[in-house]
Amino acid sequence: MTWDHFIFFAIPSVLLWTVASAWALRRPKKTLPALFTVLGLGVFFSFILGMWISLERPPLRTMGETRLWYSFFLPVAGLITYQRWGYKWILSFSTILSAVFIVVNIAKPDIHNKVLMPALQSPWFAPHVIIYMFSYAILGAVTLVALYYLFREEKLQDKERIMDMTDNLVYVGVAFVTMGMLMGAIWAKEAWGHYWSWDPKETWAAATWLGYLVYIHYRLLKTSKNKTSMTILLLAFILLQVCWYGVNYLPSARERSVHTYSVR
């Protein structure tokens, strides 16, 4: 399996997710949308698995490889949201966003090889990054909900139900971010002898984590406002984007960060 084969897996996956999204919008039953989404996920994951076997390492080293996982987990997050809360539009939004990352990967493929630096040759490498990618997908779905709420606030009839759904998704996302940070700290101790060094990536990870904690604690206030809560989520998601790939372009990260991906 090589990166040249990606398009042959990506297109069928997106088509299956599109069918699922269209069916969800037209029909009340959730079975077929769930089935088509899972089929698309199966096709997509078969490429990830093929790359894993071909590279003889988890495809998690480059930015393109993390986009691969993000494209996979977005429909997963959309499906969970759809099945749990029944919002039909979430499958369409997660499919569109996943397709954007897929197009980026097709248009700008990274250099993929088997080489892993010694620090990455750790049993913590795969679970740490995969958990982070899943949390990013969940929090990406939450961001879509926030945008939906802010643009349609005056027309919405079930605002509290949306806020409850948002709270639950944030709790899940933050829980996985926390697990990812803890695994990263243990991994750092094994690789470099310390749990935390305020590396630029670590600093922005902490800022992202605190951003979502601000949302959680603000929602606990009796005087909290829904619109302000959703705005906090958007700001926290900006921090997440800087943490994920924006930090690669910061001069301080280029000089001394051990977490930067290749941006070629």
Side-chain angles (χ1 to χ4, degrees):
M1 186 77 69
T2 68
W3 195 250
D4 294 333
H5 298 116
F6 176 57
I7 192 170
F8 301 111
F9 291 84
I11 291 177
S13 299
V14 172
L15 289 176
L16 287 166
W17 295 334
T18 302
V19 171
S21 304
W23 193 275
L25 291 172
R26 293 172 177 268
R27 299 288 188 273
K29 293 185 178 181
K30 300 179 181 179
T31 305
L32 283 178
L35 177 61
F36 280 108
T37 302
V38 171
L39 286 174
L41 290 170
V43 173
F44 201 88
F45 188 74
S46 63
F47 174 78
I48 294 177
L49 186 60
M51 284 289 289
W52 196 321
I53 295 171
S54 177
L55 292 171
E56 299 178 0
R57 63 167 178 81
L60 295 163
R61 184 175 64 84
T62 68
M63 182 59 69
E65 289 169 2
T66 60
R67 284 195 298 261
L68 193 65
W69 287 92
Y70 198 64
S71 300
F72 173 77
F73 281 128
L74 274 169
V76 172
L79 180 61
I80 292 171
T81 306
Y82 172 67
Q83 289 291 111
R84 175 62 180 83
W85 290 280
Y87 285 97
K88 300 177 179 181
W89 53 268
I90 192 67
L91 288 181
S92 301
F93 275 70
S94 61
T95 297
I96 291 170
L97 194 56
S98 179
V100 169
F101 283 95
I102 286 171
V103 169
V104 171
N105 263 3
I106 292 174
K108 189 180 178 183
D110 282 345
I111 298 172
H112 302 268
N113 55 56
K114 299 180 180 180
V115 178
L116 278 181
M117 64 177 66
L120 298 182
Q121 297 172 16
S122 166
W124 294 105
F125 173 46
H128 169 70
V129 181
I130 290 173
I131 283 175
Y132 256 120
M133 286 299 101
F134 180 73
S135 69
Y136 286 3
I138 291 289
L139 296 174
V142 170
T143 305
L144 295 178
V145 174
L147 289 170
Y148 177 79
Y149 185 96
L150 290 173
F151 279 109
R152 295 180 57 85
E153 182 180 15
E154 296 180 358
K155 299 179 181 179
L156 295 174
Q157 303 296 324
D158 52 354
K159 295 180 182 179
E160 289 310 310
R161 183 165 174 251
I162 293 176
M163 294 307 300
D164 288 342
M165 175 186 69
T166 303
D167 290 344
N168 289 327
L169 287 174
V170 170
Y171 296 153
V172 173
V174 170
F176 277 93
V177 167
T178 304
M179 284 192 290
M181 290 178 69
L182 291 174
M183 287 184 178
I186 296 171
W187 179 14
K189 178 65 174 178
E190 291 184 355
W192 300 296
H194 46 72
Y195 292 104
W196 193 271
S197 63
W198 293 108
D199 176 277
K201 187 82 167 184
E202 295 170 352
T203 302
W204 282 98
T208 301
W209 184 67
L210 290 172
Y212 285 102
L213 287 183
V214 168
Y215 168 86
I216 290 173
H217 285 80
Y218 178 75
R219 286 285 293 154
L220 294 175
L221 298 176
K222 293 182 179 179
T223 57
S224 66
K225 300 182 183 299
N226 294 347
K227 191 171 184 178
T228 303
S229 299
M230 294 305 196
T231 302
I232 292 172
L233 280 183
L234 296 183
L235 294 175
F237 190 68
I238 292 173
L239 294 175
L240 187 152
Q241 297 306 301
V242 177
C243 174
W244 181 15
Y245 62 86
V247 71
N248 298 325
Y249 300 93
L250 297 177
S252 59
R254 291 192 175 193
E255 291 172 4
R256 66 185 186 88
S257 177
V258 296
H259 289 89
T260 52
Y261 299 99
S262 170
V263 295
R264 289 184 295 173

